[in-house]
Amino acid sequence: MAEKIDVAVIGAGPAGLAAAIAAREQGAEKVVIIERSERLGGLLPQCIHNGFGLLYFGEDMTGPEYERVFIRRAEKAGVEARLETMVLDITAGREITAASSRHGYTKFKAGAVVLAMGCREKARGALGIPGGRPSGVMTAGTCQRYVNIDGYIPGRRFVILGSGDIGMIMARRLTLEGARVEAVVEIMPWSGGLIRNEVQCLHDFGIPLLLEHTVTFVHGESRISGVTVARVDAERRPVRGTERFIPCDCLLLSAGLIPENELSLKAGVELDPVTGGPVVDENRQTRAPGIFAGGNVVQVHDLVDWVSWEAEAAGRAAARFADKGKLPFAGKIRVSAGENVKYVVPQYISGKEDVTLHLRVARPGRKASLRLGGKAWKRFRSVRPSEMIIEEVPYGKISQLIRDGELRVDCDIGEEA
Ligand SMILES: Cc1cc2nc3c(=O)[nH]c(=O)nc-3n(C[C@H](O)[C@H](O)[C@H](O)COP(=O)(O)OP(=O)(O)OC[C@H]3O[C@@H](n4cnc5c(N)ncnc54)[C@H](O)[C@@H]3O)c2cc1C
């Protein structure tokens, strides 16, 4: 027999915790977080550096400190947790099948579901780097776990492919542990992470950032002995004659994150091909009624604070759905990405409430101006694809920005970066 739950939350990272607490505070009786690992917190325990909670708490916290506050709140709010329980399937009717090390196969029937499965890093297969298959090639997050959780440094001499935030944070961490980081190699003409990480993790430690470069070959038999690095042209193809060998015993990959949405697809949730996450409305309801989503499963956030806020909205709305048995998808107005905008979340809004738009630009630039519905909205000294732009749009202004049922978002660049 399936266990009945009001709100089931899949994943116990910062998104899942925030959604579950918000659902309880909104009045849902039985709120259960289902988490495949043996503890709550998602990726936060391995993020031992500071920079968390600056917006949410106005305090500079580490990942474990941030996590602890939410775990305490969840306990106080009466959220139940099923740990070591991996969700295998969700149906459109919100029936959940999970495998648990303690209880075996388990079935749940949920009034509403919040998807909070986070994201995973692109591994070597997804990047297609030629060369052998030696050991010593791993994602930056795996290395972060080895170093920060297991106390094990997997090499002495590192090259990092991709300048995502996790890779840059690991470049500093490994340097502080006495390892040598030969270079961070980035195929784009700009770094893939926050500017603060580029400055504090690379420049401050004299770690070379090779922009418009890539790894073209992995050398080594049983263990990696080095990589060939080459400059790339405007089409991102390696330029002949620019190759050079960099010796290393570890190659870390920090070249993108993929929202974990295999389960969402099983539930019939529509995905946005650009974000890789579900198409959602302002309540973070997906196109599958009663299935909500928040955090990195929706879009790769750069700050955990926004993960928590987004998931709270999903948790509150899920509790409302579970109570009434329905909550219409707020699909009246389509929010569309225009000139130099890569994506906007939410993709749909009702036009009846204040809304917070999350967006990323497609290319960097200076003297940028954001236009909503074709009208000048805000100016920025500079914009970068790696830094999410968050815009609060008050309800009273939305109607003036809509044309043909659409809110179009553009970002004009005054000067190329
Ligand atoms: C490897 C890695 C390292 C990171 N390091 C940093 C960092 O150092 N600093 C920083 O600011 N940000 C970092 N981030 C970004 C960070 O992930 C986010 O800010 C935040 O953790 C996202 O929260 P979330 O709850 O959406 O996802 P997560 O924290 O990833 O939590 C998702 C949870 O869902 C669970 N789950 C997934 N699928 C299932 C399933 N089928 N059944 C049950 N449970 C499931 C997972 O086990 C996990 O606990 C990192 C991201 C990654 C991928």
Side-chain angles (χ1 to χ4, degrees), residues 227-295:
V227 291
T228 299
V229 166
R231 197 152 55 73
V232 296
D233 62 17
E235 312 285 291
R236 317 277 159 247
R237 286 176 311 216
V239 178
R240 275 218 173 161
T242 64
E243 300 91 350
R244 68 184 157 108
F245 178 75
I246 304 182
C248 63
D249 60 5
C250 235
L251 172 66
L252 301 190
L253 309 174
S254 179
L257 299 167
I258 306 168
E260 292 248 19
N261 276 296
E262 287 73 13
L263 278 178
S264 319
L265 286 172
K266 286 188 179 178
V269 166
E270 182 192 345
L271 299 188
D272 179 323
V274 181
T275 59
V279 168
V280 288
D281 68 5
E282 63 210 15
N283 294 316
R284 296 303 187 266
Q285 185 167 204
T286 70
R287 286 295 211 172
I291 301 186
F292 298 76

Side-chain angles (χ1 to χ4, degrees), residues 28 32 106 110 115 123 133 143 146 148 160 162 184 186 238 286 309 314 332 369 374-375 395:
V32 178
T106 316
L115 306 171
R133 290 285 178 270
C143 181
Y146 279 148
N148 293 347
I160 301 178
V184 173
E186 170 59 57
T286 70
W309 274 315
K332 198 167 154 225
S369 47
K375 296 188 180 143
Y395 148 67

Side-chain angles (χ1 to χ4, degrees), residues 20-85:
I21 295 164
R24 280 287 295 146
E25 286 173 352
Q26 186 71 29
E29 268 298 299
K30 185 164 169 130
V31 178
V32 178
I33 300 187
I34 308 169
E35 166 59 49
R36 67 185 170 194
S37 78
E38 66 289 350
R39 66 187 307 290
L40 302 170
L43 283 157
L44 291 178
Q46 69 185 63
C47 304
I48 63 169
H49 53 278
N50 62 337
F52 294 82
L54 284 165
L55 299 177
Y56 196 97
F57 293 111
E59 255 184 72
D60 194 3
M61 304 161 97
T62 62
E65 283 167 346
Y66 190 88
E67 162 212 65
R68 222 164 291 136
V69 177
F70 280 89
I71 292 178
R72 281 209 197 107
R73 283 186 183 178
E75 283 164 1
K76 218 167 145 208
V79 170
E80 293 178 37
R82 303 293 153 79
L83 298 175
E84 294 176 48
T85 306

Side-chain angles (χ1 to χ4, degrees), residues 10-16 34-37 41-44 46-47 49 52 85-87 116-121 141 144 166 169 257 263 294-297 302-304 307:
I10 320 295
I34 308 169
E35 166 59 49
R36 67 185 170 194
S37 78
L43 283 157
L44 291 178
Q46 69 185 63
C47 304
H49 53 278
F52 294 82
T85 306
M86 167 118 179
V87 174
M117 293 90 74
C119 57
R120 62 170 178 268
E121 297 169 286
Q144 187 180 50
I166 312 163
I169 285 163
L257 299 167
L263 278 178
N296 277 7
V297 81
D302 32 57
L303 294 178
V304 75
V307 167

Side-chain angles (χ1 to χ4, degrees), residues 80-226:
E80 293 178 37
R82 303 293 153 79
L83 298 175
E84 294 176 48
T85 306
M86 167 118 179
V87 174
L88 304 174
D89 190 46
I90 308 174
T91 66
R94 302 182 297 283
E95 282 165 12
I96 299 168
T97 307
S100 156
S101 57
R102 297 178 198 176
H103 310 291
Y105 276 93
T106 316
K107 294 240 182 222
F108 303 94
K109 171 80 180 133
V113 172
V114 181
L115 306 171
M117 293 90 74
C119 57
R120 62 170 178 268
E121 297 169 286
K122 277 191 191 160
R124 185 170 172 190
L127 298 171
I129 314 162
R133 290 285 178 270
S135 64
V137 182
M138 66 192 76
T139 66
T142 303
C143 181
Q144 187 180 50
R145 193 182 164 82
Y146 279 148
V147 177
N148 293 347
I149 304 277
D150 303 330
Y152 167 69
I153 301 172
R156 303 304 307 163
R157 212 168 171 184
F158 288 79
V159 170
I160 301 178
L161 174 60
S163 57
D165 287 312
I166 312 163
M168 294 199 283
I169 285 163
M170 282 316 291
R172 174 178 66 183
R173 181 85 182 98
L174 291 161
T175 307
L176 289 171
E177 290 296 336
R180 187 178 163 83
V181 179
E182 298 291 344
V184 173
V185 181
E186 170 59 57
I187 198 165
M188 299 302 285
W190 51 79
S191 91
L194 295 174
I195 194 85
R196 76 172 193 215
N197 284 335
E198 188 182 327
V199 174
Q200 293 170 8
C201 301
L202 303 186
H203 302 336
D204 286 358
F205 288 83
I207 298 167
L209 171 62
L210 306 180
L211 296 175
E212 296 186 283
H213 278 71
T214 191
V215 169
T216 57
F217 203 86
V218 173
H219 301 264
E221 289 293 321
S222 62
R223 176 83 194 195
I224 183 171
S225 57

